[in-house]
Coordinates of all heavy atoms in Angstrom, one line a residue:
M363 N -66.0 41.5 -24.3 CA -64.6 41.8 -24.3 C -63.9 41.1 -25.4 O -64.5 40.2 -26.1 CB -64.0 41.3 -22.9 CG -64.5 42.1 -21.7 SD -63.9 41.4 -20.2 CE -62.2 42.1 -20.2
K364 N -62.7 41.4 -25.7 CA -62.0 40.8 -26.8 C -61.2 39.6 -26.4 O -60.6 39.5 -25.4 CB -60.9 41.9 -27.3 CG -61.6 43.0 -28.0 CD -60.7 44.0 -28.7 CE -61.5 45.0 -29.4 NZ -60.7 46.1 -29.9
C365 N -61.4 38.6 -27.3 CA -60.7 37.3 -27.1 C -59.2 37.5 -27.1 O -58.7 38.4 -27.8 CB -61.1 36.4 -28.3 SG -60.2 34.8 -28.2
Q366 N -58.5 36.7 -26.3 CA -57.1 36.9 -26.2 C -56.3 35.6 -26.5 O -55.1 35.4 -26.4 CB -56.6 37.4 -24.8 CG -57.1 38.8 -24.6 CD -56.8 39.3 -23.2 OE1 -55.9 38.8 -22.5 NE2 -57.6 40.2 -22.7
T367 N -57.1 34.6 -27.0 CA -56.5 33.3 -27.3 C -56.7 32.8 -28.7 O -55.9 33.1 -29.6 CB -57.0 32.2 -26.3 OG1 -58.4 32.1 -26.3 CG2 -56.5 32.4 -24.9
V368 N -57.9 32.2 -29.0 CA -58.1 31.6 -30.3 C -58.3 32.7 -31.4 O -57.6 32.6 -32.5 CB -59.4 30.7 -30.3 CG1 -59.8 30.2 -31.7 CG2 -59.2 29.6 -29.3
L369 N -59.1 33.7 -31.2 CA -59.2 34.8 -32.2 C -58.8 36.1 -31.5 O -59.7 37.0 -31.2 CB -60.7 34.8 -32.7 CG -61.1 33.7 -33.6 CD1 -62.6 33.8 -33.9 CD2 -60.3 33.6 -34.9
A370 N -57.6 36.2 -31.2 CA -57.1 37.4 -30.4 C -57.5 38.7 -31.1 O -57.4 38.9 -32.3 CB -55.6 37.3 -30.3
G371 N -58.1 39.5 -30.2 CA -58.5 40.9 -30.7 C -59.9 40.9 -31.2 O -60.4 42.0 -31.5
T372 N -60.6 39.8 -31.3 CA -62.0 39.7 -31.8 C -62.9 39.9 -30.7 O -62.7 39.2 -29.6 CB -62.2 38.4 -32.6 OG1 -61.3 38.2 -33.6 CG2 -63.6 38.4 -33.2
E373 N -63.9 40.7 -30.8 CA -64.9 40.9 -29.8 C -65.7 39.6 -29.6 O -66.1 38.9 -30.5 CB -65.9 42.0 -30.2 CG -66.7 42.6 -29.1 CD -65.8 43.4 -28.1 OE1 -64.9 44.1 -28.4 OE2 -66.1 43.1 -26.9
C374 N -65.8 39.1 -28.3 CA -66.5 37.8 -28.0 C -67.2 37.9 -26.8 O -66.8 38.5 -25.8 CB -65.4 36.7 -27.9 SG -66.1 35.1 -27.6
T375 N -68.5 37.4 -26.8 CA -69.3 37.5 -25.6 C -68.9 36.5 -24.5 O -69.3 36.6 -23.4 CB -70.8 37.2 -26.0 OG1 -70.9 35.9 -26.7 CG2 -71.4 38.3 -26.8
F376 N -68.1 35.5 -24.9 CA -67.6 34.5 -23.9 C -66.4 34.9 -23.2 O -65.9 34.2 -22.3 CB -67.5 33.1 -24.6 CG -68.7 32.5 -25.1 CD1 -69.1 32.6 -26.5 CD2 -69.6 31.9 -24.2 CE1 -70.3 32.1 -26.9 CE2 -70.8 31.4 -24.7 CZ -71.2 31.5 -26.0
W377 N -65.8 36.0 -23.6 CA -64.5 36.3 -22.9 C -64.8 37.3 -21.8 O -65.5 38.3 -22.0 CB -63.5 37.0 -23.9 CG -62.2 37.1 -23.3 CD1 -61.7 38.1 -22.5 CD2 -61.1 36.1 -23.4 NE1 -60.4 37.8 -22.1 CE2 -60.1 36.6 -22.6 CE3 -61.0 34.9 -24.0 CZ2 -58.9 35.8 -22.4 CZ3 -59.9 34.1 -23.8 CH2 -58.8 34.6 -23.1
G378 N -64.4 36.9 -20.6 CA -64.7 37.7 -19.4 C -63.4 38.0 -18.7 O -62.3 37.7 -19.2
K379 N -63.5 38.5 -17.5 CA -62.3 38.9 -16.7 C -61.5 37.7 -16.4 O -60.3 37.8 -16.2 CB -62.8 39.6 -15.5 CG -63.2 41.0 -15.8 CD -63.7 41.7 -14.5 CE -64.2 43.1 -14.9 NZ -65.1 43.7 -13.9
Q380 N -62.1 36.5 -16.3 CA -61.4 35.3 -15.9 C -60.9 34.5 -17.2 O -60.4 33.4 -17.1 CB -62.2 34.3 -15.1 CG -62.5 34.8 -13.7 CD -63.9 35.3 -13.6 OE1 -64.8 34.9 -14.3 NE2 -64.2 36.3 -12.7
G381 N -61.1 35.1 -18.3 CA -60.8 34.4 -19.6 C -62.0 33.9 -20.3 O -63.1 34.4 -20.1
C382 N -61.8 32.9 -21.1 CA -62.9 32.3 -21.8 C -63.8 31.5 -20.9 O -63.4 30.6 -20.2 CB -62.4 31.4 -23.0 SG -63.7 30.7 -24.0
I383 N -65.1 31.8 -20.9 CA -66.1 31.1 -20.0 C -66.8 30.1 -20.8 O -67.7 29.4 -20.2 CB -67.0 32.1 -19.4 CG1 -67.8 32.9 -20.4 CG2 -66.3 33.1 -18.4 CD1 -69.0 33.7 -19.9
F384 N -66.5 29.8 -22.0 CA -67.2 28.7 -22.8 C -66.7 27.4 -22.2 O -65.5 27.3 -21.8 CB -66.8 28.9 -24.3 CG -67.7 28.0 -25.1 CD1 -69.1 28.3 -25.3 CD2 -67.2 26.8 -25.7 CE1 -69.9 27.5 -26.1 CE2 -68.1 26.0 -26.5 CZ -69.4 26.4 -26.7
P385 N -67.5 26.4 -22.2 CA -67.1 25.1 -21.7 C -65.7 24.6 -22.3 O -65.5 24.8 -23.5 CB -68.2 24.1 -22.1 CG -69.4 25.0 -22.2 CD -68.9 26.4 -22.6
E386 N -64.9 24.1 -21.5 CA -63.5 23.7 -21.8 C -62.6 24.9 -22.0 O -61.5 24.7 -22.5 CB -63.5 22.7 -23.0 CG -64.3 21.4 -22.7 CD -64.4 20.5 -23.9 OE1 -63.5 20.5 -24.7 OE2 -65.4 19.9 -24.0
G387 N -63.1 26.1 -21.8 CA -62.3 27.3 -21.9 C -61.8 27.7 -23.2 O -60.8 28.5 -23.4
S388 N -62.5 27.2 -24.2 CA -62.1 27.6 -25.6 C -63.2 27.3 -26.6 O -64.0 26.4 -26.3 CB -60.8 26.8 -26.0 OG -60.5 27.0 -27.4
C389 N -63.2 28.0 -27.7 CA -64.1 27.5 -28.8 C -63.5 26.3 -29.5 O -62.3 26.0 -29.2 CB -64.5 28.6 -29.7 SG -63.1 29.6 -30.3
Q390 N -64.3 25.6 -30.3 CA -63.8 24.4 -30.9 C -63.7 24.6 -32.4 O -64.3 25.5 -33.0 CB -64.8 23.3 -30.6 CG -64.7 22.9 -29.1 CD -66.0 22.6 -28.4 OE1 -67.0 22.3 -29.1 NE2 -66.1 22.8 -27.1
T391 N -62.9 23.7 -33.0 CA -62.7 23.7 -34.5 C -64.0 23.4 -35.2 O -64.9 22.8 -34.6 CB -61.6 22.8 -34.9 OG1 -61.8 21.5 -34.4 CG2 -60.2 23.3 -34.4
I392 N -64.0 23.7 -36.5 CA -65.3 23.5 -37.3 C -65.6 22.0 -37.5 O -64.7 21.2 -37.4 CB -65.2 24.2 -38.6 CG1 -63.9 23.7 -39.5 CG2 -65.1 25.7 -38.5 CD1 -64.0 24.1 -40.9
A393 N -66.8 21.8 -37.9 CA -67.3 20.4 -38.2 C -67.0 20.2 -39.7 O -66.8 21.2 -40.5 CB -68.8 20.3 -37.9
E394 N -67.1 19.0 -40.1 CA -66.9 18.6 -41.6 C -67.9 19.4 -42.4 O -67.6 19.8 -43.5 CB -67.0 17.1 -41.7 CG -66.3 16.5 -42.9 CD -66.3 15.0 -42.9 OE1 -65.7 14.4 -42.0 OE2 -67.0 14.5 -43.8
N395 N -69.1 19.5 -41.9 CA -70.2 20.1 -42.7 C -70.0 21.6 -42.8 O -70.6 22.3 -43.7 CB -71.5 19.9 -42.0 CG -72.0 18.5 -42.0 OD1 -71.8 17.8 -43.0 ND2 -72.7 18.1 -41.0
C396 N -69.1 22.2 -42.1 CA -68.8 23.7 -42.1 C -68.0 24.0 -43.4 O -67.9 25.2 -43.7 CB -68.1 24.1 -40.9 SG -69.0 23.9 -39.4
E397 N -67.3 23.1 -44.0 CA -66.4 23.4 -45.1 C -67.2 24.2 -46.2 O -68.2 23.8 -46.6 CB -65.9 22.1 -45.8 CG -65.2 21.1 -44.8 CD -63.7 21.5 -44.6 OE1 -63.2 22.3 -45.4 OE2 -63.2 21.0 -43.6
G398 N -66.7 25.3 -46.5 CA -67.3 26.2 -47.5 C -68.1 27.3 -47.0 O -68.5 28.2 -47.7
C399 N -68.3 27.3 -45.7 CA -69.1 28.4 -45.0 C -68.3 29.7 -44.9 O -67.1 29.7 -44.6 CB -69.5 27.9 -43.6 SG -70.5 29.2 -42.8
D400 N -68.9 30.8 -45.2 CA -68.2 32.1 -45.1 C -67.8 32.5 -43.7 O -67.0 33.4 -43.5 CB -69.2 33.2 -45.6 CG -69.4 33.1 -47.1 OD1 -68.6 32.4 -47.8 OD2 -70.3 33.7 -47.7
R401 N -68.4 31.8 -42.7 CA -68.1 32.2 -41.3 C -66.9 31.5 -40.8 O -66.5 31.7 -39.6 CB -69.3 31.9 -40.4 CG -70.5 32.7 -40.9 CD -71.7 32.5 -39.9 NE -73.0 32.8 -40.5 CZ -73.5 34.0 -40.5 NH1 -72.8 35.0 -40.0 NH2 -74.7 34.3 -41.1
V402 N -66.3 30.6 -41.6 CA -65.1 29.9 -41.1 C -63.9 30.9 -41.1 O -63.7 31.6 -42.1 CB -64.8 28.7 -42.0 CG1 -63.4 28.1 -41.6 CG2 -65.9 27.7 -41.9
V403 N -63.2 31.0 -40.0 CA -62.0 31.9 -39.9 C -60.9 31.0 -39.3 O -61.1 30.0 -38.7 CB -62.3 33.1 -39.0 CG1 -63.3 34.1 -39.7 CG2 -62.8 32.7 -37.6
T404 N -59.7 31.5 -39.5 CA -58.6 30.8 -38.9 C -58.1 31.4 -37.6 O -57.8 32.6 -37.5 CB -57.4 30.8 -39.9 OG1 -57.9 30.2 -41.2 CG2 -56.2 29.9 -39.4
G405 N -58.1 30.5 -36.6 CA -57.7 31.0 -35.3 C -56.5 30.2 -34.9 O -55.9 29.5 -35.7
S406 N -56.1 30.4 -33.6 CA -54.8 29.8 -33.2 C -54.9 28.3 -33.0 O -53.9 27.6 -33.0 CB -54.4 30.4 -31.8 OG -55.4 30.1 -30.8
I407 N -56.1 27.8 -33.0 CA -56.3 26.3 -32.9 C -56.6 25.7 -34.2 O -56.9 24.5 -34.3 CB -57.3 25.9 -31.8 CG1 -58.7 26.5 -32.1 CG2 -56.9 26.3 -30.4 CD1 -59.8 26.0 -31.2
G408 N -56.7 26.5 -35.2 CA -57.1 26.0 -36.6 C -58.3 26.7 -37.0 O -58.6 27.9 -36.7
Q409 N -59.1 26.1 -37.9 CA -60.3 26.7 -38.4 C -61.5 26.7 -37.4 O -61.8 25.6 -36.9 CB -60.7 26.1 -39.7 CG -59.7 26.4 -40.8 CD -60.3 25.9 -42.2 OE1 -60.6 24.8 -42.3 NE2 -60.3 26.8 -43.1
V410 N -62.0 27.9 -37.1 CA -63.1 28.0 -36.2 C -64.2 28.8 -36.8 O -64.1 29.4 -37.9 CB -62.6 28.7 -34.8 CG1 -61.7 27.8 -34.1 CG2 -62.1 30.0 -35.1
C411 N -65.4 28.8 -36.1 CA -66.5 29.5 -36.6 C -66.6 30.9 -36.0 O -66.4 31.0 -34.8 CB -67.8 28.8 -36.3 SG -69.3 29.6 -36.7
S412 N -66.8 31.9 -36.8 CA -66.9 33.3 -36.2 C -68.2 33.6 -35.6 O -68.4 34.6 -34.9 CB -66.6 34.3 -37.3 OG -67.6 34.2 -38.3
A413 N -69.2 32.7 -35.8 CA -70.5 32.9 -35.3 C -70.9 32.1 -34.0 O -71.8 32.4 -33.3 CB -71.6 32.7 -36.4
Y414 N -70.3 30.9 -33.9 CA -70.7 30.0 -32.8 C -69.4 29.2 -32.4 O -68.7 28.7 -33.2 CB -71.8 29.0 -33.3 CG -72.4 28.3 -32.2 CD1 -73.3 29.0 -31.3 CD2 -72.2 27.0 -32.0 CE1 -73.9 28.3 -30.3 CE2 -72.8 26.3 -30.9 CZ -73.6 27.0 -30.1 OH -74.2 26.3 -29.0
P415 N -69.2 29.1 -31.1 CA -68.0 28.5 -30.6 C -67.9 26.9 -30.7 O -66.8 26.4 -30.6 CB -67.9 28.9 -29.1 CG -69.3 29.3 -28.7 CD -70.0 29.7 -30.0
A416 N -69.1 26.3 -30.8 CA -69.0 24.8 -30.9 C -69.7 24.4 -32.2 O -70.9 23.9 -32.2 CB -69.7 24.2 -29.7
P417 N -69.1 24.5 -33.3 CA -69.7 24.2 -34.6 C -70.4 22.8 -34.7 O -71.4 22.7 -35.4 CB -68.6 24.4 -35.6 CG -67.6 25.3 -35.0 CD -67.7 25.0 -33.5
V418 N -69.8 21.8 -34.2 CA -70.3 20.5 -34.3 C -71.7 20.4 -33.7 O -72.6 19.8 -34.3 CB -69.4 19.4 -33.5 CG1 -70.0 18.1 -33.4 CG2 -68.0 19.4 -34.1
K419 N -72.0 21.2 -32.7 CA -73.3 21.2 -32.1 C -74.4 21.8 -33.0 O -75.6 21.5 -32.9 CB -73.3 21.9 -30.7 CG -72.6 21.2 -29.6 CD -72.7 21.9 -28.3 CE -71.9 21.1 -27.3 NZ -71.7 21.9 -26.1
K420 N -73.9 22.7 -33.8 CA -74.9 23.4 -34.7 C -75.4 22.4 -35.8 O -76.4 22.7 -36.5 CB -74.2 24.6 -35.4 CG -73.9 25.7 -34.5 CD -75.1 26.3 -33.8 CE -75.9 27.3 -34.6 NZ -77.1 27.8 -33.9
W421 N -74.8 21.3 -36.0 CA -75.2 20.3 -37.0 C -75.9 19.1 -36.4 O -76.3 18.2 -37.2 CB -74.0 19.9 -37.8 CG -73.5 21.0 -38.7 CD1 -72.5 21.9 -38.4 CD2 -74.0 21.3 -40.0 NE1 -72.4 22.8 -39.5 CE2 -73.2 22.4 -40.5 CE3 -74.9 20.8 -40.9 CZ2 -73.5 23.0 -41.7 CZ3 -75.1 21.4 -42.1 CH2 -74.4 22.5 -42.5
I422 N -76.0 19.0 -35.1 CA -76.6 17.9 -34.5 C -78.1 17.7 -34.9 O -78.6 16.7 -35.3 CB -76.5 17.9 -33.0 CG1 -75.0 17.7 -32.6 CG2 -77.4 16.9 -32.3 CD1 -74.7 17.8 -31.2
G423 N -78.9 18.8 -34.9 CA -80.3 18.7 -35.1 C -80.7 19.0 -36.6 O -81.8 19.2 -36.9
G424 N -79.7 19.0 -37.5 CA -80.0 19.3 -38.9 C -79.0 20.3 -39.4 O -77.9 20.4 -38.9
I425 N -79.4 21.1 -40.3 CA -78.5 22.1 -40.9 C -78.3 23.3 -40.0 O -79.3 23.8 -39.4 CB -79.1 22.6 -42.3 CG1 -79.2 21.4 -43.3 CG2 -78.3 23.7 -42.9 CD1 -80.0 21.7 -44.5
C426 N -77.1 23.7 -39.9 CA -76.7 24.9 -39.1 C -77.5 26.1 -39.6 O -77.5 26.4 -40.7 CB -75.2 25.2 -39.1 SG -74.7 26.7 -38.4
N427 N -78.2 26.8 -38.6 CA -79.0 28.0 -39.0 C -78.1 29.2 -39.4 O -78.7 30.2 -39.9 CB -80.0 28.3 -38.0 CG -79.4 28.6 -36.6 OD1 -78.3 28.1 -36.3 ND2 -80.0 29.5 -35.8
F428 N -76.9 29.1 -39.1 CA -76.0 30.3 -39.5 C -75.2 30.0 -40.8 O -74.6 30.9 -41.3 CB -74.9 30.5 -38.4 CG -75.5 31.0 -37.1 CD1 -74.9 30.6 -35.9 CD2 -76.6 31.8 -37.0 CE1 -75.4 31.0 -34.6 CE2 -77.0 32.3 -35.8 CZ -76.5 31.8 -34.6
A429 N -75.3 28.8 -41.3 CA -74.5 28.4 -42.5 C -74.8 29.3 -43.7 O -76.0 29.6 -44.0 CB -74.8 27.0 -42.8
S430 N -73.8 29.7 -44.4 CA -73.9 30.6 -45.5 C -73.8 29.8 -46.8 O -74.1 30.3 -47.9 CB -72.8 31.6 -45.5 OG -71.6 31.0 -45.7
H431 N -73.4 28.5 -46.7 CA -73.2 27.7 -47.9 C -74.2 26.7 -48.2 O -74.1 25.9 -49.1 CB -71.8 27.1 -47.8 CG -71.6 26.1 -46.6 ND1 -72.0 26.5 -45.4 CD2 -71.2 24.9 -46.6 CE1 -71.8 25.4 -44.6 NE2 -71.3 24.5 -45.3
V432 N -75.2 26.6 -47.4 CA -76.2 25.5 -47.6 C -77.6 26.2 -47.7 O -78.0 27.1 -46.9 CB -76.3 24.6 -46.3 CG1 -77.3 23.5 -46.5 CG2 -74.9 23.9 -46.1
K433 N -78.3 25.9 -48.8 CA -79.6 26.5 -49.0 C -80.6 25.4 -48.6 O -80.5 24.2 -48.9 CB -79.8 26.8 -50.5 CG -78.8 27.9 -51.0 CD -79.5 29.2 -51.2 CE -78.6 30.2 -51.8 NZ -77.8 30.9 -50.9
V434 N -81.7 25.9 -47.9 CA -82.7 25.0 -47.5 C -83.9 25.1 -48.5 O -84.3 26.3 -48.8 CB -83.2 25.3 -46.1 CG1 -84.3 24.3 -45.7 CG2 -82.0 25.2 -45.1
D435 N -84.3 24.0 -49.1 CA -85.5 24.1 -50.0 C -86.7 23.8 -49.2 O -86.9 22.7 -48.6 CB -85.3 23.0 -51.1 CG -84.6 23.5 -52.2 OD1 -84.5 24.7 -52.4 OD2 -84.0 22.7 -53.0
F436 N -87.6 24.8 -49.1 CA -88.9 24.6 -48.4 C -89.9 24.2 -49.5 O -90.1 25.0 -50.4 CB -89.3 25.9 -47.7 CG -88.5 26.2 -46.5 CD1 -87.5 27.2 -46.6 CD2 -88.7 25.5 -45.4 CE1 -86.8 27.5 -45.5 CE2 -87.9 25.8 -44.2 CZ -87.0 26.8 -44.3
S437 N -90.5 23.1 -49.3 CA -91.5 22.7 -50.3 C -92.8 22.8 -49.5 O -92.9 22.4 -48.3 CB -91.3 21.3 -50.8 OG -91.3 20.4 -49.8
I438 N -93.8 23.3 -50.1 CA -95.1 23.5 -49.5 C -95.8 22.1 -49.4 O -96.0 21.5 -50.4 CB -96.0 24.5 -50.2 CG1 -95.3 25.9 -50.1 CG2 -97.4 24.6 -49.5 CD1 -96.0 26.9 -51.0
A439 N -96.0 21.7 -48.2 CA -96.7 20.4 -48.0 C -98.1 20.5 -48.6 O -98.7 21.5 -48.6 CB -96.7 20.0 -46.6
E440 N -98.5 19.3 -49.1 CA -99.9 19.3 -49.6 C -100.9 19.7 -48.5 O -100.9 19.2 -47.4 CB -100.2 17.9 -50.1 CG -101.2 17.8 -51.2 CD -101.3 16.4 -51.7 OE1 -100.3 15.9 -52.4 OE2 -102.3 15.8 -51.5
L441 N -101.7 20.7 -48.9 CA -102.6 21.2 -47.9 C -103.8 20.2 -47.8 O -104.3 19.7 -48.8 CB -103.1 22.6 -48.3 CG -102.1 23.7 -48.3 CD1 -102.7 25.0 -48.9 CD2 -101.6 23.9 -46.9
K442 N -104.2 20.0 -46.6 CA -105.4 19.2 -46.4 C -106.6 20.1 -46.3 O -106.7 21.0 -45.5 CB -105.3 18.4 -45.1 CG -104.3 17.3 -45.2 CD -104.3 16.4 -44.0 CE -103.3 15.3 -44.1 NZ -103.3 14.4 -43.0
V443 N -107.5 19.9 -47.3 CA -108.7 20.8 -47.3 C -109.9 19.9 -46.8 O -110.1 18.8 -47.2 CB -108.9 21.2 -48.8 CG1 -110.2 22.1 -48.9 CG2 -107.7 22.0 -49.3
N444 N -110.6 20.6 -45.9 CA -111.8 20.0 -45.4 C -112.9 20.1 -46.6 O -113.3 21.2 -46.9 CB -112.3 20.7 -44.2 CG -113.5 20.1 -43.6 OD1 -114.4 19.5 -44.3 ND2 -113.7 20.2 -42.3
P445 N -113.3 19.0 -47.1 CA -114.3 19.1 -48.3 C -115.6 19.8 -48.0 O -116.1 20.5 -48.8 CB -114.6 17.6 -48.6 CG -113.8 16.8 -47.6 CD -113.0 17.6 -46.8
L446 N -116.0 19.7 -46.7 CA -117.3 20.4 -46.3 C -117.1 21.9 -46.3 O -117.9 22.6 -46.9 CB -117.7 19.9 -45.0 CG -119.1 20.4 -44.5 CD1 -120.2 19.9 -45.5 CD2 -119.4 19.8 -43.1
K447 N -116.0 22.3 -45.8 CA -115.7 23.8 -45.7 C -115.4 24.3 -47.1 O -115.9 25.4 -47.5 CB -114.5 24.0 -44.8 CG -114.8 24.0 -43.3 CD -113.6 24.4 -42.5 CE -113.9 24.3 -41.1 NZ -112.7 24.6 -40.2
A448 N -114.7 23.5 -47.9 CA -114.4 23.9 -49.3 C -115.7 24.1 -50.1 O -115.9 25.0 -50.9 CB -113.5 22.9 -49.9
S449 N -116.7 23.2 -49.9 CA -117.9 23.2 -50.5 C -118.7 24.5 -50.2 O -119.3 25.2 -51.0 CB -118.7 22.0 -50.2 OG -120.0 22.1 -50.7
K450 N -118.7 24.8 -48.8 CA -119.5 26.0 -48.4 C -118.8 27.2 -48.9 O -119.5 28.2 -49.3 CB -119.4 26.0 -46.8 CG -120.4 25.1 -46.2 CD -120.3 25.2 -44.7 CE -121.3 24.2 -44.0 NZ -121.2 24.2 -42.6
K451 N -117.5 27.2 -49.0 CA -116.8 28.4 -49.5 C -117.1 28.6 -50.9 O -117.3 29.7 -51.4 CB -115.2 28.2 -49.3 CG -114.4 29.4 -49.2 CD -113.0 29.0 -48.8 CE -112.2 30.2 -48.4 NZ -110.9 29.9 -48.0
A452 N -117.1 27.5 -51.7 CA -117.4 27.6 -53.1 C -118.9 28.1 -53.3 O -119.1 28.9 -54.2 CB -117.2 26.2 -53.8
A453 N -119.8 27.6 -52.5 CA -121.2 28.0 -52.6 C -121.3 29.5 -52.3 O -122.1 30.2 -52.9 CB -122.0 27.1 -51.7
G454 N -120.6 29.9 -51.3 CA -120.6 31.3 -50.9 C -120.1 32.2 -52.0 O -120.6 33.3 -52.2
A455 N -119.1 31.8 -52.6 CA -118.5 32.5 -53.7 C -119.5 32.7 -54.9 O -119.5 33.7 -55.5 CB -117.2 31.9 -54.2
K456 N -120.3 31.6 -55.1 CA -121.2 31.6 -56.2 C -122.4 32.6 -55.9 O -122.9 33.3 -56.8 CB -121.8 30.2 -56.5 CG -120.8 29.3 -57.2 CD -121.5 27.9 -57.3 CE -120.4 26.9 -57.9 NZ -120.9 25.6 -57.8
K457 N -122.8 32.7 -54.7 CA -123.9 33.6 -54.3 C -123.6 35.0 -54.5 O -124.4 35.8 -54.9 CB -124.3 33.3 -52.8 CG -125.1 32.1 -52.6 CD -125.4 31.9 -51.1 CE -126.1 30.6 -50.9 NZ -126.3 30.4 -49.4
K458 N -122.3 35.4 -54.2 CA -121.9 36.8 -54.4 C -122.0 37.3 -55.8 O -122.1 38.5 -56.0 CB -120.5 36.9 -53.8 CG -120.4 36.8 -52.3 CD -119.0 37.0 -51.8 CE -119.0 36.8 -50.3 NZ -117.6 36.8 -49.8
K459 N -121.9 36.4 -56.8 CA -121.9 36.8 -58.2 C -123.3 37.3 -58.6 O -124.3 37.1 -58.2 CB -121.4 35.7 -59.1 CG -119.9 35.5 -58.9 CD -119.4 34.5 -59.9 CE -118.0 34.3 -59.7 NZ -117.4 33.2 -60.5
Ligands
SF4_474 S1 -72.0 29.2 -39.3 FE1 -72.5 27.1 -39.0 S2 -71.8 26.1 -40.9 FE2 -70.8 28.1 -40.7 S3 -68.8 27.7 -39.7 FE3 -70.3 28.3 -38.1 S4 -71.1 26.4 -37.4 FE4 -70.2 25.9 -39.3

């Protein structure tokens, strides 16, 4: 149903017949880390997230997975190679030639 308070007219899964069913009856304003994110919109209570009603919680365990302004660098951890298996693999490769 459509929100009738913070983001009036916006489709929201938390809006029901009794109003907003999110804890405390409303979504919450953005966290400091949200600054610069494309999902920040202005609602009746200030800047809120268009993707998640409690932005502060999205940053508790690390970087928000919906964030558009933060890039995550994945570095490949050094692979642990079993020397015995590597040796067998190398020997197998030589036999095929
Ligand atoms: S998507 Fe994440 S970073 Fe962006 S405004 Fe929402 S909670 Fe904040």
Side-chain angles (χ1 to χ4, degrees):
M363 293 178 79
K364 289 185 177 171
C365 175
Q366 292 174 23
T367 54
V368 177
L369 291 172
T372 306
E373 202 61 45
C374 181
T375 53
F376 292 103
W377 194 271
K379 287 178 182 161
Q380 293 102 27
C382 183
I383 57 166
F384 193 72
E386 297 173 38
S388 171
C389 43
Q390 289 138 28
T391 52
I392 59 164
E394 209 173 290
N395 290 328
C396 298
E397 302 279 343
C399 180
D400 289 344
R401 298 185 201 276
V402 175
V403 291
T404 304
S406 63
I407 58 170
Q409 290 190 305
V410 294
C411 175
S412 61
Y414 194 72
V418 173
K419 288 184 183 168
K420 292 302 274 178
W421 288 92
I422 289 174
I425 295 170
C426 168
N427 60 330
F428 295 144
S430 66
H431 61 313
V432 180
K433 299 252 186 275
V434 179
D435 273 338
F436 288 105
S437 59
I438 298 171
E440 208 174 289
L441 295 173
K442 287 188 177 181
V443 179
N444 181 332
L446 187 59
K447 284 185 180 177
S449 171
K450 284 181 180 176
K451 206 173 194 179
K456 283 179 189 170
K457 282 181 186 173
K458 288 181 184 173
K459 287 182 182 178

